[in-house]
Short mmCIF file of all heavy atoms in Angstrom, two decimals:
data_model
loop_
_atom_site.label_atom_id
_atom_site.label_comp_id
_atom_site.label_asym_id
_atom_site.label_seq_id
_atom_site.Cartn_x
_atom_site.Cartn_y
_atom_site.Cartn_z
N ILE Z 429 120.93 19.90 -59.24
CA ILE Z 429 119.64 20.69 -59.35
C ILE Z 429 119.66 21.26 -60.82
O ILE Z 429 120.54 22.07 -61.12
CB ILE Z 429 119.59 21.79 -58.33
CG1 ILE Z 429 119.94 21.25 -56.92
CG2 ILE Z 429 118.25 22.46 -58.36
CD1 ILE Z 429 118.96 20.11 -56.48
N GLN Z 430 118.60 20.88 -61.59
CA GLN Z 430 118.62 21.26 -62.97
C GLN Z 430 117.32 22.15 -63.30
O GLN Z 430 116.33 21.93 -62.64
CB GLN Z 430 118.49 19.95 -63.87
CG GLN Z 430 119.61 19.02 -63.62
CD GLN Z 430 119.35 17.68 -64.32
OE1 GLN Z 430 118.27 17.38 -64.63
NE2 GLN Z 430 120.45 16.98 -64.57
N ASP Z 431 117.54 23.07 -64.22
CA ASP Z 431 116.44 23.87 -64.73
C ASP Z 431 115.66 22.84 -65.57
O ASP Z 431 116.10 22.35 -66.59
CB ASP Z 431 116.99 25.07 -65.60
CG ASP Z 431 115.86 25.86 -66.10
OD1 ASP Z 431 114.80 25.35 -66.42
OD2 ASP Z 431 116.07 27.12 -66.31
N SER Z 432 114.34 22.69 -65.18
CA SER Z 432 113.56 21.64 -65.85
C SER Z 432 113.29 21.96 -67.33
O SER Z 432 113.18 21.01 -68.11
CB SER Z 432 112.23 21.50 -65.19
OG SER Z 432 112.32 20.89 -63.94
N SER Z 433 113.35 23.25 -67.71
CA SER Z 433 113.04 23.50 -69.12
C SER Z 433 114.19 23.34 -70.02
O SER Z 433 114.10 23.03 -71.25
CB SER Z 433 112.55 24.98 -69.19
OG SER Z 433 113.58 25.86 -68.75
N GLN Z 434 115.44 23.50 -69.42
CA GLN Z 434 116.62 23.49 -70.27
C GLN Z 434 117.51 22.23 -69.85
O GLN Z 434 118.49 21.93 -70.60
CB GLN Z 434 117.50 24.80 -70.07
CG GLN Z 434 116.68 25.98 -70.44
CD GLN Z 434 117.44 27.23 -70.21
OE1 GLN Z 434 118.74 27.27 -70.00
NE2 GLN Z 434 116.76 28.42 -70.17
N MET Z 435 117.21 21.61 -68.73
CA MET Z 435 118.02 20.49 -68.20
C MET Z 435 119.52 20.88 -68.01
O MET Z 435 120.40 20.05 -68.21
CB MET Z 435 117.87 19.25 -69.07
CG MET Z 435 116.42 18.78 -69.23
SD MET Z 435 115.60 18.52 -67.66
CE MET Z 435 116.56 17.09 -67.01
N THR Z 436 119.72 22.12 -67.72
CA THR Z 436 121.06 22.54 -67.41
C THR Z 436 121.20 22.54 -65.87
O THR Z 436 120.30 22.79 -65.12
CB THR Z 436 121.30 24.04 -67.93
OG1 THR Z 436 120.30 24.91 -67.28
CG2 THR Z 436 121.32 24.02 -69.38
N VAL Z 437 122.41 22.27 -65.46
CA VAL Z 437 122.69 22.12 -64.00
C VAL Z 437 122.80 23.56 -63.41
O VAL Z 437 123.69 24.36 -63.80
CB VAL Z 437 123.94 21.30 -63.68
CG1 VAL Z 437 124.26 21.32 -62.23
CG2 VAL Z 437 123.74 19.86 -64.14
N LEU Z 438 121.96 23.86 -62.43
CA LEU Z 438 122.00 25.15 -61.69
C LEU Z 438 122.98 25.04 -60.60
O LEU Z 438 123.58 26.03 -60.25
CB LEU Z 438 120.62 25.47 -61.25
CG LEU Z 438 119.55 25.74 -62.30
CD1 LEU Z 438 118.22 25.97 -61.70
CD2 LEU Z 438 119.90 26.76 -63.23
N ALA Z 439 122.97 23.91 -59.88
CA ALA Z 439 123.83 23.78 -58.66
C ALA Z 439 124.14 22.32 -58.39
O ALA Z 439 123.24 21.44 -58.80
CB ALA Z 439 123.27 24.47 -57.45
#
Side-chain angles (χ1 to χ4, degrees):
I429 310 300
Q430 302 169 340
D431 183 326
S432 290
S433 63
Q434 303 176 17
M435 299 308 291
T436 56
V437 176
L438 299 174

